Amino acid sequence: MAEKIPVILDCDNTMGLPGCDVDDGLALLYLLGSPGVRLLGVTCSYGNSTQEAVHRNTLRLLDQWGRRDIPVYRGSQGPGQLSSPAADFLAAAAREHSGALRLLVTGSTTNLLGAMSLDGGFLDRLHTISLMGGITEPLLVGGKPMAELNLSIDARASLEILRRAHHIRIATAQNCLSSFFPQSDLTALAESGSPVGAYLAGALADWYAYNVEHWNLDGIVNWDVTAAAQLVCPELFDLNDTSITPTLESMAWGMLLGDGPAIPVQLPVIRDPEQYRRRIWETCLAARIHI
């Protein structure tokens, strides 16, 4: 049997909070359903909400799922605040699993800079970093402009990570648009015969309704799951080796293409959106949680 890959999820999880995105929670569920993954812990960032709200909500969600065996660490409160239990854990885990640790980052990047401040070799010890965030052109969702959040909210940290890390995969906002899960999926989940499916049908209903009202979408873009899937199941993607050229000025609004020095990265594109969507739900429904 192949050894499971060690993964840490660094996220701004707000699944279950009114008017807030659910995709970090779905990325967490996807990891819990991935048989080849050993989830070492969750480090909490800010972005979708405050650090306090994200930390409290992540503990609540794992408690609801019967998975408080997964450690949860409080992270940075905001840009420039580098010291945190999350940074300590990230640095220690990278040393323990040097060369093998995969890091999934679906919120702000400040915790990573905090780990770098503790251990200058932190990024060198990682196998892969998979980020969700960044744009390659102005972003339109449902015909309306949407601002980038994850990489722009701490632009200095993001630029430092991008320039110093190796083996970076970025699920850009544009490429995540193919990670679209239509309204009909709620019915399919409810009728799946799975307790996890029935739970998700109820837990996601408000966010589906929010997207109809605010973004003219008959479904949801599952942003963060894209970054999780490209880390765990790269065969679902064309990985697209390329270069980005951000500057501090471009990163302030999440733009990966500026006039800075070239940085080698992968910008994965989903090969078959229908096959991808089926695999995502199958993996989530296989998660070992207790509803």
Short mmCIF file of all heavy atoms in Angstrom, two decimals, residues 133-198:
data_model
loop_
_atom_site.label_atom_id
_atom_site.label_comp_id
_atom_site.label_asym_id
_atom_site.label_seq_id
_atom_site.Cartn_x
_atom_site.Cartn_y
_atom_site.Cartn_z
N GLY A 133 -6.03 31.46 -5.76
CA GLY A 133 -6.04 32.91 -5.78
C GLY A 133 -5.32 33.45 -6.99
O GLY A 133 -4.75 32.72 -7.79
N GLY A 134 -5.36 34.76 -7.11
CA GLY A 134 -4.69 35.42 -8.22
C GLY A 134 -5.56 35.45 -9.46
O GLY A 134 -6.41 34.59 -9.69
N ILE A 135 -5.34 36.48 -10.26
CA ILE A 135 -6.05 36.65 -11.52
C ILE A 135 -5.04 36.90 -12.63
O ILE A 135 -3.92 37.37 -12.38
CB ILE A 135 -7.09 37.78 -11.47
CG1 ILE A 135 -6.43 39.11 -11.04
CG2 ILE A 135 -8.24 37.43 -10.53
CD1 ILE A 135 -7.36 40.31 -11.06
N THR A 136 -5.43 36.58 -13.85
CA THR A 136 -4.59 36.85 -15.01
C THR A 136 -5.21 37.90 -15.93
O THR A 136 -4.61 38.28 -16.93
CB THR A 136 -4.34 35.55 -15.79
OG1 THR A 136 -5.60 34.92 -16.07
CG2 THR A 136 -3.47 34.59 -14.97
N GLU A 137 -6.40 38.34 -15.57
CA GLU A 137 -7.12 39.43 -16.25
C GLU A 137 -8.25 39.82 -15.34
O GLU A 137 -8.54 39.11 -14.37
CB GLU A 137 -7.64 38.98 -17.62
CG GLU A 137 -8.61 37.83 -17.55
CD GLU A 137 -9.02 37.31 -18.92
OE1 GLU A 137 -8.17 37.27 -19.81
OE2 GLU A 137 -10.20 36.95 -19.08
N PRO A 138 -8.91 40.96 -15.57
CA PRO A 138 -10.04 41.31 -14.71
C PRO A 138 -11.06 40.17 -14.65
O PRO A 138 -11.37 39.53 -15.65
CB PRO A 138 -10.62 42.55 -15.39
CG PRO A 138 -9.43 43.17 -16.06
CD PRO A 138 -8.59 42.02 -16.55
N LEU A 139 -11.58 39.93 -13.44
CA LEU A 139 -12.44 38.78 -13.19
C LEU A 139 -13.92 39.17 -13.26
O LEU A 139 -14.36 40.09 -12.57
CB LEU A 139 -12.12 38.21 -11.81
CG LEU A 139 -12.96 37.01 -11.34
CD1 LEU A 139 -12.73 35.81 -12.25
CD2 LEU A 139 -12.61 36.66 -9.90
N LEU A 140 -14.66 38.44 -14.10
CA LEU A 140 -16.10 38.61 -14.20
C LEU A 140 -16.79 37.32 -13.79
O LEU A 140 -16.42 36.24 -14.28
CB LEU A 140 -16.52 38.99 -15.62
CG LEU A 140 -16.06 40.34 -16.15
CD1 LEU A 140 -16.47 40.51 -17.59
CD2 LEU A 140 -16.62 41.48 -15.30
N VAL A 141 -17.76 37.43 -12.90
CA VAL A 141 -18.53 36.27 -12.45
C VAL A 141 -20.01 36.62 -12.62
O VAL A 141 -20.48 37.61 -12.05
CB VAL A 141 -18.22 35.92 -10.98
CG1 VAL A 141 -19.10 34.76 -10.52
CG2 VAL A 141 -16.75 35.56 -10.81
N GLY A 142 -20.72 35.82 -13.39
CA GLY A 142 -22.12 36.13 -13.67
C GLY A 142 -22.30 37.47 -14.33
O GLY A 142 -23.33 38.13 -14.14
N GLY A 143 -21.30 37.90 -15.10
CA GLY A 143 -21.36 39.18 -15.79
C GLY A 143 -21.01 40.37 -14.93
O GLY A 143 -21.08 41.52 -15.40
N LYS A 144 -20.62 40.13 -13.67
CA LYS A 144 -20.30 41.22 -12.75
C LYS A 144 -18.84 41.12 -12.32
O LYS A 144 -18.31 40.02 -12.16
CB LYS A 144 -21.21 41.14 -11.51
CG LYS A 144 -22.69 41.25 -11.82
CD LYS A 144 -23.55 40.84 -10.65
CE LYS A 144 -23.39 41.76 -9.45
NZ LYS A 144 -24.32 41.38 -8.35
N PRO A 145 -18.17 42.27 -12.11
CA PRO A 145 -16.77 42.22 -11.67
C PRO A 145 -16.67 41.71 -10.23
O PRO A 145 -17.49 42.04 -9.38
CB PRO A 145 -16.32 43.68 -11.77
CG PRO A 145 -17.57 44.49 -11.70
CD PRO A 145 -18.65 43.65 -12.31
N MET A 146 -15.65 40.88 -9.99
CA MET A 146 -15.38 40.37 -8.65
C MET A 146 -13.92 40.66 -8.31
O MET A 146 -13.02 40.41 -9.12
CB MET A 146 -15.64 38.86 -8.57
CG MET A 146 -15.30 38.24 -7.21
SD MET A 146 -15.53 36.43 -7.16
CE MET A 146 -17.32 36.32 -7.03
N ALA A 147 -13.68 41.16 -7.13
CA ALA A 147 -12.31 41.45 -6.70
C ALA A 147 -11.61 40.18 -6.24
O ALA A 147 -12.23 39.29 -5.65
CB ALA A 147 -12.33 42.47 -5.55
N GLU A 148 -10.31 40.08 -6.52
CA GLU A 148 -9.49 38.99 -5.99
C GLU A 148 -9.26 39.24 -4.51
O GLU A 148 -9.13 40.39 -4.08
CB GLU A 148 -8.15 38.94 -6.72
CG GLU A 148 -7.39 37.63 -6.58
CD GLU A 148 -6.61 37.48 -5.28
OE1 GLU A 148 -6.35 38.49 -4.60
OE2 GLU A 148 -6.24 36.35 -4.96
N LEU A 149 -9.20 38.16 -3.72
CA LEU A 149 -9.03 38.33 -2.28
C LEU A 149 -7.78 37.65 -1.75
O LEU A 149 -6.95 38.28 -1.10
CB LEU A 149 -10.26 37.79 -1.53
CG LEU A 149 -10.18 37.82 0.00
CD1 LEU A 149 -10.12 39.26 0.51
CD2 LEU A 149 -11.36 37.09 0.62
N ASN A 150 -7.57 36.38 -2.02
CA ASN A 150 -6.61 35.60 -1.26
C ASN A 150 -5.17 36.10 -1.34
O ASN A 150 -4.49 36.21 -0.32
CB ASN A 150 -6.65 34.14 -1.72
CG ASN A 150 -7.91 33.42 -1.26
OD1 ASN A 150 -8.69 33.97 -0.49
ND2 ASN A 150 -8.11 32.22 -1.74
N LEU A 151 -4.68 36.39 -2.54
CA LEU A 151 -3.29 36.81 -2.67
C LEU A 151 -3.12 38.31 -2.45
O LEU A 151 -2.04 38.76 -2.06
CB LEU A 151 -2.74 36.40 -4.04
CG LEU A 151 -2.73 34.90 -4.34
CD1 LEU A 151 -2.01 34.62 -5.65
CD2 LEU A 151 -2.11 34.10 -3.21
N SER A 152 -4.15 39.08 -2.69
CA SER A 152 -4.04 40.53 -2.58
C SER A 152 -4.16 41.04 -1.14
O SER A 152 -3.67 42.12 -0.83
CB SER A 152 -5.12 41.21 -3.44
OG SER A 152 -6.43 40.79 -3.04
N ILE A 153 -4.78 40.25 -0.26
CA ILE A 153 -5.07 40.77 1.07
C ILE A 153 -3.80 40.99 1.89
O ILE A 153 -3.74 41.85 2.76
CB ILE A 153 -6.06 39.84 1.81
CG1 ILE A 153 -6.65 40.55 3.03
CG2 ILE A 153 -5.41 38.52 2.18
CD1 ILE A 153 -7.81 39.81 3.66
N ASP A 154 -2.73 40.22 1.61
CA ASP A 154 -1.40 40.49 2.14
C ASP A 154 -0.44 40.38 0.97
O ASP A 154 0.24 39.38 0.78
CB ASP A 154 -1.02 39.51 3.26
CG ASP A 154 0.27 39.91 3.97
OD1 ASP A 154 1.01 40.78 3.46
OD2 ASP A 154 0.56 39.33 5.04
N ALA A 155 -0.39 41.43 0.18
CA ALA A 155 0.36 41.40 -1.09
C ALA A 155 1.84 41.16 -0.85
O ALA A 155 2.48 40.43 -1.63
CB ALA A 155 0.14 42.72 -1.84
N ARG A 156 2.41 41.74 0.18
CA ARG A 156 3.85 41.56 0.44
C ARG A 156 4.16 40.10 0.75
O ARG A 156 5.14 39.54 0.25
CB ARG A 156 4.29 42.46 1.59
CG ARG A 156 4.33 43.93 1.25
CD ARG A 156 4.90 44.78 2.38
NE ARG A 156 4.88 46.19 2.03
CZ ARG A 156 5.82 46.79 1.31
NH1 ARG A 156 6.86 46.09 0.87
NH2 ARG A 156 5.74 48.08 1.03
N ALA A 157 3.34 39.48 1.60
CA ALA A 157 3.56 38.07 1.92
C ALA A 157 3.42 37.21 0.68
O ALA A 157 4.23 36.31 0.42
CB ALA A 157 2.58 37.61 3.00
N SER A 158 2.39 37.46 -0.12
CA SER A 158 2.15 36.66 -1.32
C SER A 158 3.33 36.76 -2.29
O SER A 158 3.79 35.75 -2.84
CB SER A 158 0.87 37.10 -2.02
OG SER A 158 -0.26 36.88 -1.19
N LEU A 159 3.82 37.98 -2.50
CA LEU A 159 4.93 38.16 -3.42
C LEU A 159 6.18 37.47 -2.92
O LEU A 159 6.91 36.82 -3.69
CB LEU A 159 5.20 39.66 -3.63
CG LEU A 159 6.21 40.01 -4.72
CD1 LEU A 159 5.74 39.53 -6.08
CD2 LEU A 159 6.47 41.51 -4.74
N GLU A 160 6.43 37.54 -1.63
CA GLU A 160 7.60 36.87 -1.05
C GLU A 160 7.50 35.36 -1.22
O GLU A 160 8.49 34.69 -1.58
CB GLU A 160 7.71 37.24 0.43
CG GLU A 160 8.96 36.73 1.13
CD GLU A 160 10.20 37.53 0.81
OE1 GLU A 160 10.09 38.53 0.07
OE2 GLU A 160 11.28 37.14 1.29
N ILE A 161 6.33 34.81 -0.96
CA ILE A 161 6.14 33.36 -1.12
C ILE A 161 6.35 32.96 -2.57
O ILE A 161 7.06 31.99 -2.87
CB ILE A 161 4.72 32.95 -0.66
CG1 ILE A 161 4.51 33.26 0.83
CG2 ILE A 161 4.47 31.48 -0.95
CD1 ILE A 161 5.50 32.62 1.76
N LEU A 162 5.75 33.68 -3.50
CA LEU A 162 5.84 33.32 -4.91
C LEU A 162 7.29 33.39 -5.40
O LEU A 162 7.72 32.56 -6.20
CB LEU A 162 4.95 34.24 -5.75
CG LEU A 162 3.44 34.03 -5.57
CD1 LEU A 162 2.67 35.12 -6.30
CD2 LEU A 162 3.02 32.66 -6.07
N ARG A 163 8.04 34.38 -4.93
CA ARG A 163 9.40 34.55 -5.42
C ARG A 163 10.39 33.57 -4.79
O ARG A 163 11.44 33.30 -5.38
CB ARG A 163 9.86 35.99 -5.17
CG ARG A 163 9.20 37.00 -6.11
CD ARG A 163 9.69 38.41 -5.91
NE ARG A 163 9.19 39.30 -6.96
CZ ARG A 163 9.36 40.61 -6.97
NH1 ARG A 163 10.03 41.20 -5.99
NH2 ARG A 163 8.88 41.34 -7.97
N ARG A 164 10.05 33.02 -3.63
CA ARG A 164 11.03 32.18 -2.94
C ARG A 164 10.66 30.70 -2.88
O ARG A 164 11.51 29.87 -2.59
CB ARG A 164 11.25 32.71 -1.52
CG ARG A 164 11.91 34.09 -1.49
CD ARG A 164 12.20 34.55 -0.10
NE ARG A 164 13.02 33.60 0.64
CZ ARG A 164 13.41 33.78 1.91
NH1 ARG A 164 13.03 34.88 2.55
NH2 ARG A 164 14.14 32.88 2.52
N ALA A 165 9.42 30.37 -3.15
CA ALA A 165 9.00 28.97 -3.07
C ALA A 165 9.35 28.21 -4.35
O ALA A 165 9.70 28.79 -5.37
CB ALA A 165 7.50 28.89 -2.81
N HIS A 166 9.25 26.89 -4.26
CA HIS A 166 9.47 26.01 -5.40
C HIS A 166 8.20 25.17 -5.60
O HIS A 166 7.41 24.99 -4.70
CB HIS A 166 10.65 25.08 -5.14
CG HIS A 166 11.86 25.77 -4.60
ND1 HIS A 166 12.71 26.53 -5.38
CD2 HIS A 166 12.36 25.84 -3.33
CE1 HIS A 166 13.67 27.02 -4.64
NE2 HIS A 166 13.49 26.61 -3.39
N HIS A 167 8.02 24.65 -6.80
CA HIS A 167 6.92 23.72 -7.08
C HIS A 167 5.58 24.32 -6.65
O HIS A 167 4.89 23.80 -5.78
CB HIS A 167 7.16 22.39 -6.38
CG HIS A 167 8.51 21.80 -6.64
ND1 HIS A 167 8.94 21.44 -7.89
CD2 HIS A 167 9.54 21.55 -5.81
CE1 HIS A 167 10.17 20.97 -7.83
NE2 HIS A 167 10.57 21.03 -6.58
N ILE A 168 5.24 25.43 -7.28
CA ILE A 168 4.00 26.15 -6.96
C ILE A 168 2.94 25.84 -8.00
O ILE A 168 3.18 25.94 -9.20
CB ILE A 168 4.24 27.68 -6.94
CG1 ILE A 168 5.39 28.05 -6.01
CG2 ILE A 168 2.97 28.41 -6.55
CD1 ILE A 168 5.83 29.49 -6.17
N ARG A 169 1.75 25.46 -7.53
CA ARG A 169 0.57 25.36 -8.38
C ARG A 169 -0.42 26.41 -7.92
O ARG A 169 -0.69 26.53 -6.73
CB ARG A 169 -0.06 23.97 -8.30
CG ARG A 169 0.78 22.87 -8.92
CD ARG A 169 0.15 21.50 -8.76
NE ARG A 169 1.09 20.48 -9.19
CZ ARG A 169 1.01 19.20 -8.86
NH1 ARG A 169 0.00 18.76 -8.11
NH2 ARG A 169 1.92 18.34 -9.28
N ILE A 170 -0.98 27.14 -8.87
CA ILE A 170 -1.94 28.18 -8.52
C ILE A 170 -3.25 27.92 -9.24
O ILE A 170 -3.30 27.86 -10.48
CB ILE A 170 -1.42 29.59 -8.90
CG1 ILE A 170 -0.04 29.84 -8.29
CG2 ILE A 170 -2.41 30.65 -8.44
CD1 ILE A 170 0.57 31.17 -8.71
N ALA A 171 -4.31 27.75 -8.47
CA ALA A 171 -5.66 27.70 -9.03
C ALA A 171 -6.13 29.14 -9.17
O ALA A 171 -6.66 29.74 -8.23
CB ALA A 171 -6.59 26.90 -8.12
N THR A 172 -5.89 29.74 -10.34
CA THR A 172 -6.27 31.13 -10.53
C THR A 172 -7.79 31.26 -10.55
O THR A 172 -8.51 30.29 -10.83
CB THR A 172 -5.71 31.68 -11.86
OG1 THR A 172 -6.34 31.00 -12.95
CG2 THR A 172 -4.20 31.50 -11.93
N ALA A 173 -8.26 32.46 -10.27
CA ALA A 173 -9.70 32.68 -10.28
C ALA A 173 -10.30 32.33 -11.65
O ALA A 173 -11.37 31.71 -11.73
CB ALA A 173 -10.01 34.13 -9.91
N GLN A 174 -9.59 32.70 -12.73
CA GLN A 174 -10.11 32.39 -14.06
C GLN A 174 -10.22 30.88 -14.27
O GLN A 174 -11.23 30.38 -14.78
CB GLN A 174 -9.20 32.99 -15.14
CG GLN A 174 -9.56 34.42 -15.53
CD GLN A 174 -8.99 35.43 -14.53
OE1 GLN A 174 -8.05 35.13 -13.80
NE2 GLN A 174 -9.56 36.63 -14.52
N ASN A 175 -9.19 30.12 -13.87
CA ASN A 175 -9.22 28.68 -14.09
C ASN A 175 -10.21 27.98 -13.17
O ASN A 175 -10.68 26.88 -13.48
CB ASN A 175 -7.82 28.10 -13.92
CG ASN A 175 -6.90 28.48 -15.07
OD1 ASN A 175 -7.36 28.96 -16.11
ND2 ASN A 175 -5.60 28.28 -14.90
N CYS A 176 -10.53 28.60 -12.04
CA CYS A 176 -11.52 28.02 -11.13
C CYS A 176 -12.95 28.13 -11.65
O CYS A 176 -13.84 27.43 -11.16
CB CYS A 176 -11.45 28.69 -9.76
SG CYS A 176 -10.03 28.22 -8.76
N LEU A 177 -13.18 28.99 -12.62
CA LEU A 177 -14.55 29.16 -13.12
C LEU A 177 -15.10 27.87 -13.72
O LEU A 177 -16.32 27.67 -13.75
CB LEU A 177 -14.60 30.29 -14.15
CG LEU A 177 -14.34 31.70 -13.60
CD1 LEU A 177 -14.32 32.72 -14.73
CD2 LEU A 177 -15.37 32.07 -12.55
N SER A 178 -14.21 26.97 -14.16
CA SER A 178 -14.67 25.67 -14.68
C SER A 178 -15.07 24.72 -13.56
O SER A 178 -15.67 23.67 -13.82
CB SER A 178 -13.57 25.02 -15.53
OG SER A 178 -13.30 25.80 -16.67
N SER A 179 -14.72 25.07 -12.32
CA SER A 179 -15.12 24.27 -11.17
C SER A 179 -16.52 24.72 -10.73
O SER A 179 -16.71 25.22 -9.62
CB SER A 179 -14.10 24.44 -10.04
OG SER A 179 -14.43 23.65 -8.92
N PHE A 180 -17.47 24.55 -11.63
CA PHE A 180 -18.83 25.04 -11.43
C PHE A 180 -19.75 23.88 -11.09
O PHE A 180 -19.78 22.86 -11.78
CB PHE A 180 -19.33 25.76 -12.68
CG PHE A 180 -20.68 26.39 -12.51
CD1 PHE A 180 -20.82 27.57 -11.79
CD2 PHE A 180 -21.81 25.80 -13.04
CE1 PHE A 180 -22.06 28.15 -11.61
CE2 PHE A 180 -23.05 26.37 -12.87
CZ PHE A 180 -23.18 27.55 -12.15
N PHE A 181 -20.50 24.05 -10.01
CA PHE A 181 -21.37 22.99 -9.51
C PHE A 181 -22.81 23.51 -9.54
O PHE A 181 -23.20 24.33 -8.73
CB PHE A 181 -20.95 22.61 -8.08
CG PHE A 181 -19.63 21.90 -8.02
CD1 PHE A 181 -18.46 22.54 -8.37
CD2 PHE A 181 -19.58 20.57 -7.64
CE1 PHE A 181 -17.24 21.88 -8.34
CE2 PHE A 181 -18.37 19.90 -7.60
CZ PHE A 181 -17.20 20.56 -7.96
N PRO A 182 -23.61 23.03 -10.51
CA PRO A 182 -24.94 23.60 -10.75
C PRO A 182 -25.94 23.29 -9.63
O PRO A 182 -25.74 22.40 -8.81
CB PRO A 182 -25.36 22.95 -12.06
CG PRO A 182 -24.62 21.66 -12.09
CD PRO A 182 -23.30 21.93 -11.44
N GLN A 183 -27.03 24.04 -9.67
CA GLN A 183 -28.09 23.89 -8.68
C GLN A 183 -28.61 22.46 -8.61
O GLN A 183 -28.99 21.98 -7.55
CB GLN A 183 -29.23 24.86 -9.04
CG GLN A 183 -30.36 24.92 -8.04
CD GLN A 183 -30.09 25.87 -6.90
OE1 GLN A 183 -29.32 26.80 -7.04
NE2 GLN A 183 -30.72 25.64 -5.76
N SER A 184 -28.61 21.77 -9.74
CA SER A 184 -29.12 20.41 -9.77
C SER A 184 -28.31 19.47 -8.87
O SER A 184 -28.81 18.40 -8.48
CB SER A 184 -29.11 19.88 -11.21
OG SER A 184 -27.81 19.92 -11.76
N ASP A 185 -27.08 19.84 -8.54
CA ASP A 185 -26.28 18.99 -7.66
C ASP A 185 -26.90 18.87 -6.27
O ASP A 185 -26.72 17.84 -5.60
CB ASP A 185 -24.86 19.55 -7.52
CG ASP A 185 -24.01 19.24 -8.74
OD1 ASP A 185 -24.54 18.68 -9.71
OD2 ASP A 185 -22.80 19.55 -8.73
N LEU A 186 -27.62 19.90 -5.82
CA LEU A 186 -28.25 19.82 -4.50
C LEU A 186 -29.27 18.69 -4.45
O LEU A 186 -29.33 17.93 -3.47
CB LEU A 186 -28.93 21.15 -4.15
CG LEU A 186 -28.02 22.31 -3.73
CD1 LEU A 186 -28.87 23.53 -3.42
CD2 LEU A 186 -27.16 21.94 -2.53
N THR A 187 -30.07 18.57 -5.50
CA THR A 187 -31.05 17.48 -5.56
C THR A 187 -30.35 16.14 -5.61
O THR A 187 -30.75 15.19 -4.92
CB THR A 187 -31.95 17.65 -6.79
OG1 THR A 187 -32.62 18.91 -6.72
CG2 THR A 187 -32.98 16.54 -6.86
N ALA A 188 -29.29 16.05 -6.41
CA ALA A 188 -28.55 14.79 -6.51
C ALA A 188 -27.94 14.40 -5.17
O ALA A 188 -27.95 13.22 -4.80
CB ALA A 188 -27.47 14.91 -7.58
N LEU A 189 -27.43 15.37 -4.44
CA LEU A 189 -26.87 15.07 -3.12
C LEU A 189 -27.95 14.59 -2.16
O LEU A 189 -27.77 13.62 -1.42
CB LEU A 189 -26.19 16.32 -2.55
CG LEU A 189 -24.86 16.72 -3.19
CD1 LEU A 189 -24.46 18.12 -2.74
CD2 LEU A 189 -23.77 15.72 -2.85
N ALA A 190 -29.10 15.27 -2.18
CA ALA A 190 -30.19 14.90 -1.28
C ALA A 190 -30.70 13.49 -1.58
O ALA A 190 -31.14 12.78 -0.66
CB ALA A 190 -31.32 15.91 -1.41
N GLU A 191 -30.64 13.08 -2.85
CA GLU A 191 -31.16 11.78 -3.25
C GLU A 191 -30.07 10.71 -3.36
O GLU A 191 -30.33 9.61 -3.84
CB GLU A 191 -31.86 11.92 -4.60
CG GLU A 191 -33.09 12.84 -4.53
CD GLU A 191 -33.72 13.07 -5.90
OE1 GLU A 191 -33.11 12.64 -6.91
OE2 GLU A 191 -34.81 13.67 -5.95
N SER A 192 -28.86 11.03 -2.89
CA SER A 192 -27.73 10.12 -3.06
C SER A 192 -27.81 8.89 -2.15
O SER A 192 -27.12 7.89 -2.39
CB SER A 192 -26.42 10.86 -2.77
OG SER A 192 -26.36 11.25 -1.39
N GLY A 193 -28.62 8.94 -1.11
CA GLY A 193 -28.68 7.86 -0.15
C GLY A 193 -27.53 7.88 0.84
O GLY A 193 -27.41 6.98 1.68
N SER A 194 -26.70 8.89 0.75
CA SER A 194 -25.55 9.04 1.64
C SER A 194 -25.86 10.04 2.74
O SER A 194 -26.39 11.13 2.46
CB SER A 194 -24.34 9.52 0.84
OG SER A 194 -23.35 10.07 1.70
N PRO A 195 -25.56 9.73 4.00
CA PRO A 195 -25.74 10.73 5.07
C PRO A 195 -24.93 12.01 4.81
O PRO A 195 -25.40 13.10 5.12
CB PRO A 195 -25.25 10.00 6.32
CG PRO A 195 -25.37 8.55 6.00
CD PRO A 195 -25.11 8.43 4.54
N VAL A 196 -23.73 11.85 4.24
CA VAL A 196 -22.94 13.03 3.93
C VAL A 196 -23.62 13.84 2.83
O VAL A 196 -23.66 15.08 2.88
CB VAL A 196 -21.50 12.63 3.50
CG1 VAL A 196 -20.69 13.87 3.11
CG2 VAL A 196 -20.80 11.87 4.62
N GLY A 197 -24.18 13.17 1.82
CA GLY A 197 -24.89 13.86 0.76
C GLY A 197 -26.09 14.63 1.28
O GLY A 197 -26.32 15.78 0.90
N ALA A 198 -26.88 14.01 2.16
CA ALA A 198 -28.04 14.68 2.74
C ALA A 198 -27.60 15.89 3.55
O ALA A 198 -28.24 16.95 3.50
CB ALA A 198 -28.82 13.70 3.61
#
